[in-house]
Amino acid sequence: MSALASAPFSVEEIASEGIKPEEYEEIVQRLGRHPNRAELGMFGVMWSEHCCYKNSRPLLKQFPTTGDRILVGPGENAGVIDLGNGDRLAFKIESHNHPSAIEPFQGAATGVGGILRDIFTMGARPIAILNSLRFGSLDEPRTRRLFSGVVAGIAHYGNCVGVPTVGGEVYFDPAYSGNPLVNAMALGLMETPEIVKSGAHGIGNPVLYVGSTTGRDGMGGASFASAELSDESMDDRPAVQVGDPFLEKSLIEACLEAFKTGAVVAAQDMGAAGITCSTAEMAAKGGVGIEFDLDKVPVRETGMVPYEYLLSESQERMLFVAHKGREQELVEIFERWGLHAVIAGQVIQEPIVRILFQGEVAAEIPATALADNTPIYHRELLKEPPEYAQKAWQWSESSLPDAALEGITVQGQVTSWNDILLQLLDSPTIASKAWVYRQYDHQVQNNTVALPGAGDAAVLRIRPQVSHHHASNSSLGVAATVDCNSRYVYLNPYEGAKATVAEAARNLSCVGADPVAVTDNLNFGSPEKAIGYWQLSEACRGLAEACRELGTPVTGGNVSLYNETLDSNGIPQPIYPTPVVGMVGIVPDIHQRSGMGWQHEGDLIYLLGIRLESRHDHPAEKHLTLGGSEYLAVVHNQIAGHPPIVDFELERRVQATCREGIRQGWIHSAHDCSEGGLAVAIAESCISSNLSASVTLPIAQPSSTQSPSPYSRWDYHLFAEGGARIVVSVAANRQDAWENFLQHRLEHNWQKLGKVGAQAGNLEILTTDGHSLINVRMTDVTQTWKDAIARRLEA
Amino acid sequence: MSMAKQVNFGVIVFPGSNCDRDVAYVTRDLLQQPTRMVWHEESDLTDIDVVIVPGGFSYGDYLRCGAIARFSPAMQALQRHAEQGKLVLGICNGFQVLTEAGLLPGALVRNRDLHFICDRAPLRVERTDLPWTIGYQANEVITVPIAHGEGSYYADPETLAELEANHQILFRYVSGDGEMSAESNPNGSLNNIAGICNRQGNVVGMMPHPERASDPMLGGTDGLRLFQGVINSLVTTPVESSV
């Protein structure tokens, strides 16, 4: 007889914990008996994808995770890299997608709170937050509500806790209508001599519960986060936690103070699955056991049962293992900050998690069964790409209407290139995000070197917040970015994932930073479906290859699967596969950096990367294409084509050239070509500086006979994406030295395009034979780009 | 007032203060003045020349910004410090605390558009005869960062008239060329008020963050001159910035 048949629970009760029948059998085998209700709940959360990566673990194994600067790789609360001179940076990304879909303000706020705890648990003071957000179309009222709520939630938490939100990205696409993505990344500067780890040790050492109280909020959030969203999910509102950034601010100060005493052996944030996860992981990592008494836990509600204590995701709580005899020191520190710190258990020899409640054993489970030796699913990969992808790859530029000098015929009407450029700049994905970042305090802590929107990545000066009276003139900086063009990943997960890593590194290079390491957030649909698993598997392969090619190991991250919404017919609609890459880099001297805006009228404009004109010996269509482009989606309403394929050799050379050019002082501005291609990149450099530009494409009007090559199309030249491209501006009097350098470093992969113009001028793009393709007043360009998001919200 | 070679700064730290270290970085690290962090439970400020109430969210600001902070021992001591004519500066949340404590008139309410705003605001310096503003030219337009959700200055008409009549308005939000208008007013403050002082001029509150415009490595230094002005007016020999 199967264990399931004799279980003291109904099949529905087991399923409601997110446990599959075969997993129940496995639990009974591990325990040698049936679990009780509390234990069943503990397995439910710990064996969720969110906690144990049962679908993704085999795929994550292929990531490169080591390198000269990597001090802590995957497995701890956050990764840590060596910045040199004793400075160490902790960083990590995490998602809060499902909670934000249900309750955008608290969902996003607690997402920020959670990622900050991962950072300061290591002994690092949080110094910056970035976020990567995805929403549906702003034309829908529901999306507007989600968008406003998420932004307000991030602002509320980050602003109050006093950590600047310095960068991020926001995309709008119908694929995310019912399932927005909220990924938050945090950076912290190590403040303790030793990196605080999470493995418990020292038999008999006390286990301290510190921080806030425990209540019924956020019950089972981890299993909730690992299931598809449906209309009924709205009834799961109690599964969304409520955050208190004021408590978190005090918790940061108290924890860092506590770590500096040397009395703390190990620490773990109580995030997903609260007390269950923190006790099990600390015990499993240390190869020991933990006995924990729920009666000691400070509560905010009465009448809670063990199941509720163990699965609560009340925020702003942590678990410490302290050195025996030094617990009182720690208690005093937390009480001074108005926080709880109670001795609630001890480290034991037997490698089990033993939970006590009212003098009895409420649960007893081998620690590794919960945290380490958890189920893994090896799934079958599709033998060939799914139909949707193969069909999309059939697309080519030749299916587009004729593109003449005057413009293109869209839906029977000729639209000028001027109007198309403005249409792209008005697309919320490309438009100014000032409406968002103006709500975030991005300057607190006095280290924000580059303001949001000013460059391709955030740049922070590295300066310890707690003054040790050492020279404060350090000019060391770090740069950080979050990126993912998920349309590329949807069209080809492997190539799209590569492009994501390449773009992140390019963004860092554009501000003058050496890319160092990656934290990734894999937001995908259900891996139980063949296409979903194919997307996940192929994207991981692409990420691994790109991280290896670009020398940026992965130090950890987060997996968020089952990002699907059931429509009213009950059909699951997956999001675009969205492997967000958070990348950090080092700016050796913050005086040698660059923003995206032109600096001086008369500076020369250059394109680094694949050249504009066709070269028959170097066909570039695979690397530079309108396939998967923003132009194709916004102007032609088509999600089709093959996304650009990364040429790593070219990517490395262009990026190194850009960094070197910045450090030599030649480059005055640098901006990569991403969504919207060359024309949009040039427009953005104009907008950012209030200057204008005159650019001549080295291409003449093609002969009237239509050739099938995309090189005969003006839209290809203006808006194609890919090609490792960066637009830079350089002082005219440095032209010779700069061009010699370019020739030496890039051979033919660069060209001079034009000149920076005066304030309040026009942005002009001409053909080599003098025809005007684009000629727009900068005031119109700026206005369109600036107002796009606010205008839609006020609609 | 002290005529020593250095000025003793004190920065009050409430649970939830988050600009305390930023202020200390300017006075201690950039300007090389002795600076002491004052825990909110302390009640002796006699060693301090200039007390700064920094920005942040004192006690979480759950009731009203600054409403609980005013009952702390450090704030009681600050009252006595102010009554002696010594200098007090409240920045952002610190300004809110000073109005709640009755050291400055009026109140700070939700921004006009209800959103938190982080930006760089041009300010016009309205008066240059106080220690706080001697570093500026009359009517000079300076740029200082703002970051607040409740920074819209409000006072009843009589109080406003008094503030104007007694020249208690130190900074107003203006456009880049110094014009006062609704567009140049980021948060809806009455009379475009960004900062005021008490009748005696020793207590100042301002929503903009001068400490964020002090480090040349980060850009503008218009805020640094406020701190330098205070130091220069308190010491016999003017001090130079170490930067």
Side-chain angles (χ1 to χ4, degrees):
Chain A
M1 197 172 81
S2 78
L4 202 60
S6 64
F9 309 103
S10 69
V11 174
E12 291 75 28
E13 278 172 319
I14 292 170
S16 74
E17 300 294 344
I19 294 172
K20 298 183 194 311
E22 60 275 21
E23 290 172 346
Y24 187 81
E25 303 279 347
E26 183 71 31
I27 290 168
V28 172
Q29 209 190 340
R30 303 265 180 113
L31 292 178
R33 59 177 167 83
H34 285 289
N36 63 30
R37 178 104 174 85
E39 290 166 338
L40 186 70
M42 292 167 82
F43 276 106
V45 289
M46 291 303 290
W47 285 13
S48 68
E49 180 66 31
H50 189 85
C51 290
C52 84
Y53 306 118
K54 58 192 170 191
N55 290 290
S56 51
R57 210 160 4 141
L59 301 173
L60 304 180
K61 272 198 182 137
Q62 58 191 317
F63 292 163
T65 57
T66 53
D68 291 348
R69 289 191 180 272
I70 310 301
L71 298 176
V72 176
E76 288 291 339
N77 284 297
V80 181
I81 58 166
D82 187 357
L83 299 176
N85 288 330
D87 288 318
R88 294 153 298 157
L89 185 81
F91 69 105
K92 172 92 176 284
I93 194 166
E94 197 163 82
S95 65
H96 238 211
N97 303 333
H98 290 76
S100 303
I102 305 299
E103 213 298 281
F105 183 92
Q106 285 298 341
T110 53
V112 172
I115 193 63
L116 290 175
R117 280 194 298 286
D118 281 337
I119 299 300
F120 66 79
T121 306
M122 307 288 292
R125 179 176 294 276
I127 58 167
I129 301 166
L130 292 91
N131 43 71
S132 171
L133 311 177
R134 299 289 182 287
F135 300 95
S137 160
L138 281 177
D139 299 336
E140 300 165 32
R142 177 156 177 250
T143 298
R144 294 201 290 270
R145 185 182 66 82
L146 286 171
F147 173 58
S148 306
V150 164
V151 171
I154 291 170
H156 165 70
Y157 209 101
N159 296 353
C160 185
V161 82
V163 181
T165 302
V166 295
E169 53 160 14
V170 192
Y171 282 78
F172 300 90
D173 192 292
Y176 301 99
S177 304
N179 195 131
L181 300 186
V182 177
N183 294 180
M185 173 174 167
L187 278 61
L189 191 58
M190 287 297 307
E191 219 167 76
T192 56
E194 299 295 324
I195 296 169
V196 182
K197 301 276 183 70
S198 58
H201 56 89
I203 308 305
N205 272 340
V207 173
L208 272 72
Y209 168 109
V210 305
S212 185
T213 51
T214 294
R216 291 188 176 92
D217 48 329
M219 293 290 308
S223 24
F224 162 68
S226 302
E228 288 110 341
L229 291 171
S230 65
D231 289 346
E232 281 96 65
S233 299
M234 293 307 282
D235 304 332
D236 280 336
R237 240 181 255 246
V240 180
Q241 313 87 331
V242 177
D244 182 342
F246 166 67
L247 256 169
E248 178 113 332
K249 165 70 174 152
S250 297
L251 192 59
I252 294 174
E253 302 298 342
C255 283
L256 292 177
E257 210 176 310
F259 295 148
K260 286 174 198 165
T261 64
V264 179
V265 173
Q268 169 81 34
D269 160 40
M270 282 196 218
I275 293 173
T276 301
C277 186
S278 53
T279 49
E281 288 198 347
M282 291 186 86
K285 275 192 192 136
V288 292
I290 284 179
E291 185 177 80
F292 191 86
D293 187 353
L294 298 178
D295 297 321
K296 301 282 172 34
V297 172
V299 292
R300 65 180 72 154
E301 292 180 68
T302 54
M304 289 200 296
V305 298
Y307 176 89
E308 291 168 322
Y309 277 96
L310 289 165
L311 270 62
S312 163
E313 293 191 2
S314 291
Q315 298 288 290
E316 292 92 22
R317 303 178 301 162
M318 325 251 287
L319 206 62
F320 282 8
V321 173
H323 285 292
K324 197 172 175 61
R326 299 194 62 184
E327 43 286 55
Q328 198 50 36
E329 277 175 68
L330 300 176
V331 170
E332 278 165 20
I333 290 172
F334 282 89
E335 287 182 347
R336 185 150 39 80
W337 285 98
L339 298 166
H340 295 277
V342 295
I343 299 156
Q346 59 172 331
V347 177
I348 55 175
Q349 184 99 50
E350 204 184 340
I352 56 169
V353 172
R354 181 185 295 134
I355 303 294
L356 305 175
F357 181 66
Q358 294 179 351
E360 292 185 10
V361 175
E364 193 171 272
I365 303 177
T368 54
L370 287 174
D372 211 9
N373 182 18
T374 51
I376 292 184
Y377 295 121
H378 294 276
R379 299 190 184 274
E380 197 75 3
L381 187 62
L382 288 175
K383 295 270 182 295
E384 54 182 44
E387 200 189 329
Y388 87 86
Q390 297 207 34
K391 203 173 144 218
W393 300 344
Q394 298 304 312
W395 179 92
S396 82
E397 274 92 352
S398 60
S399 68
L400 289 173
D402 288 354
L405 267 179
E406 308 72 56
I408 192 163
T409 310
V410 184
Q411 287 156 354
Q413 277 202 320
V414 178
T415 310
S416 69
W417 300 121
N418 279 354
D419 287 343
I420 287 182
L421 176 65
L422 292 174
Q423 191 184 349
L424 282 167
L425 293 170
D426 183 56
S427 147
T429 292
I430 289 178
S432 165
K433 305 300 183 297
W435 188 89
V436 176
Y437 62 71
R438 213 166 169 252
Q439 295 186 53
Y440 304 152
D441 187 338
H442 42 253
Q443 290 187 286
V444 66
Q445 294 193 11
N446 247 342
N447 290 316
T448 309
V449 174
L451 297 170
D456 285 6
V459 182
L460 294 146
R461 176 249 313 266
I462 288 297
R463 174 177 64 87
Q465 283 288 290
V466 176
S467 178
H468 307 293
H469 280 284
H470 70 69
S472 57
N473 59 355
S474 158
S475 55
L476 178 67
V478 294
T481 180
V482 279
D483 290 288
C484 181
N485 183 324
S486 59
R487 195 185 296 131
Y488 292 177
V489 186
Y490 168 73
L491 291 169
N492 185 331
Y494 168 67
E495 295 297 343
K498 278 165 45 183
T500 295
V501 181
E503 186 185 348
R506 205 181 317 121
N507 282 333
L508 294 183
S509 297
C510 281
V511 300
D514 296 313
V516 174
V518 160
T519 177
D520 66 298
N521 205 134
L522 305 176
N523 308 274
F524 284 77
S526 167
E528 295 169 34
K529 291 168 192 151
I531 292 180
Y533 187 72
W534 174 77
Q535 291 175 339
L536 179 64
S537 170
E538 285 291 279
C540 286
R541 186 165 72 90
L543 288 179
E545 186 182 325
C547 288
R548 208 165 272 127
E549 286 280 353
L550 296 171
T552 52
V554 179
T555 63
N558 176 252
V559 178
S560 169
L561 304 182
Y562 303 95
N563 286 290
E564 311 202 347
T565 55
L566 300 178
D567 64 18
S568 12
N569 299 322
I571 316 258
Q573 302 291 335
I575 59 159
Y576 283 160
T578 314
V580 173
V581 167
M583 195 183 280
V584 294
I586 296 178
V587 183
D589 179 352
I590 55 169
H591 299 98
Q592 294 170 353
R593 63 184 169 85
S594 174
M596 70 163 82
W598 317 128
Q599 293 296 307
H600 306 289
E601 184 182 348
D603 278 0
L604 303 177
I605 300 170
Y606 288 83
L607 175 67
L608 314 186
I610 291 181
R611 297 164 67 92
L612 277 153
E613 72 275 29
S614 146
R615 286 172 53 96
H616 296 295
D617 54 334
H618 281 90
E621 296 107 289
K622 277 186 183 163
H623 303 297
L624 184 75
T625 172
L626 287 174
S629 68
E630 191 73 9
Y631 166 78
L632 196 58
V634 169
V635 178
H636 299 281
N637 284 312
Q638 292 186 49
I639 310 299
H642 195 285
I645 292 175
V646 175
D647 173 346
F648 285 114
E649 176 56 25
L650 180 63
E651 199 68 66
R652 280 189 296 262
R653 286 171 63 183
V654 166
Q655 292 184 24
T657 303
C658 181
R659 295 192 299 266
E660 180 66 17
I662 291 169
R663 287 169 200 171
Q664 292 290 341
W666 288 319
I667 290 181
H668 286 170
S669 73
H671 183 29
D672 90 309
C673 295
S674 53
E675 288 80 14
L678 178 67
V680 165
I682 291 171
E684 287 172 340
S685 290
C686 290
I687 295 167
S688 187
S689 61
N690 277 325
L691 296 170
S692 56
S694 175
V695 163
T696 302
L697 306 184
I699 301 158
Q701 189 179 6
S703 61
S704 54
T705 46
Q706 282 297 314
S707 108
S709 156
Y711 296 110
S712 62
R713 300 189 61 89
W714 292 114
D715 46 6
Y716 179 80
H717 297 303
L718 292 170
F719 307 117
E721 298 174 16
R725 282 174 158 185
I726 299 175
V727 173
V728 304
S729 62
V730 171
N733 62 9
R734 310 299 288 276
Q735 182 172 2
D736 289 347
W738 164 245
E739 290 190 358
N740 280 337
F741 169 73
L742 283 179
Q743 198 60 44
H744 178 65
R745 299 294 288 268
L746 294 177
E747 292 161 36
H748 60 271
N749 287 304
W750 63 274
Q751 63 199 154
K752 180 161 151 284
L753 287 185
K755 213 178 242 189
V756 175
Q759 267 192 28
N762 281 22
L763 165 58
E764 286 190 286
I765 301 182
L766 305 161
T767 66
T768 193
D769 46 349
H771 296 287
S772 170
L773 284 167
I774 286 179
N775 190 348
V776 276
R777 292 195 317 185
M778 275 312 303
T779 45
D780 296 337
V781 170
T782 303
Q783 205 63 31
T784 302
W785 177 84
K786 252 188 187 162
D787 293 347
I789 288 180
R791 180 168 65 74
R792 284 172 174 83
L793 292 173
E794 284 151 16
Chain B
M1 282 189 199
S2 151
M3 295 299 278
K5 285 235 162 64
Q6 287 198 303
V7 175
N8 289 298
F9 283 90
V11 182
I12 297 191
V13 183
F14 300 107
S17 294
N18 63 30
C19 301
D20 45 337
R21 294 190 181 92
D22 299 3
V23 171
Y25 169 63
V26 174
T27 58
R28 178 164 52 203
D29 295 359
L30 293 181
L31 293 169
Q32 302 286 309
Q33 302 298 303
T35 301
R36 183 161 82 79
M37 308 311 275
V38 179
W39 186 238
H40 65 114
E41 286 169 347
E42 288 185 43
S43 52
D44 185 357
L45 299 177
T46 48
D47 59 316
I48 293 170
D49 301 313
V50 182
V51 179
I52 299 177
V53 189
F57 292 74
S58 51
Y59 301 96
D61 282 342
Y62 288 116
L63 178 58
R64 235 176 18 251
C65 294
I68 299 175
R70 74 185 179 98
F71 294 109
S72 67
M75 282 303 296
Q76 309 296 319
L78 181 121
Q79 291 268 6
R80 294 189 291 276
H81 177 93
E83 282 160 16
Q84 292 162 18
K86 290 180 169 181
L87 298 185
V88 176
L89 171 65
I91 301 169
C92 199
N93 184 236
F95 185 12
Q96 295 160 344
V97 172
L98 295 182
T99 59
E100 285 288 338
L103 283 164
L104 290 170
L108 284 312
V109 299
R110 291 265 323 250
N111 293 346
R112 182 177 48 201
D113 72 355
L114 308 180
H115 292 303
F116 189 98
I117 301 172
C118 181
D119 211 333
R120 272 57 53 198
L123 308 176
R124 192 173 68 208
V125 183
E126 302 286 284
R127 183 175 166 185
T128 53
D129 61 335
L130 292 174
W132 309 104
T133 49
I134 55 167
Y136 302 107
Q137 305 292 316
N139 291 320
E140 184 180 347
V141 176
I142 59 174
T143 300
V144 183
I146 55 171
H148 54 249
E150 301 182 24
S152 178
Y153 184 80
Y154 176 82
D156 58 53
E158 297 81 60
T159 308
L160 268 184
E162 265 180 56
L163 285 173
E164 294 284 1
N166 297 324
H167 305 289
Q168 285 173 251
I169 298 160
L170 291 191
F171 304 104
R172 282 188 223 263
Y173 299 110
V174 291
S175 65
D177 51 13
E179 294 308 310
M180 214 174 99
S181 66
E183 294 76 54
S184 67
N185 185 344
N187 54 25
S189 290
L190 293 179
N191 296 22
N192 285 39
I193 287 173
I196 57 170
C197 62
N198 63 354
R199 191 75 183 266
Q200 296 72 28
N202 63 317
V203 179
V204 163
M206 60 193 295
M207 288 314 295
H209 287 270
E211 80 279 14
R212 295 186 186 183
S214 291
D215 187 349
M217 227 184 234
L218 303 179
T221 53
D222 282 349
L224 189 67
R225 286 186 282 154
L226 180 143
F227 300 99
Q228 285 170 325
V230 168
I231 296 165
N232 287 339
S233 64
L234 292 188
V235 298
T236 43
T237 46
V239 294
E240 289 301 318
S241 150
S242 69
V243 292

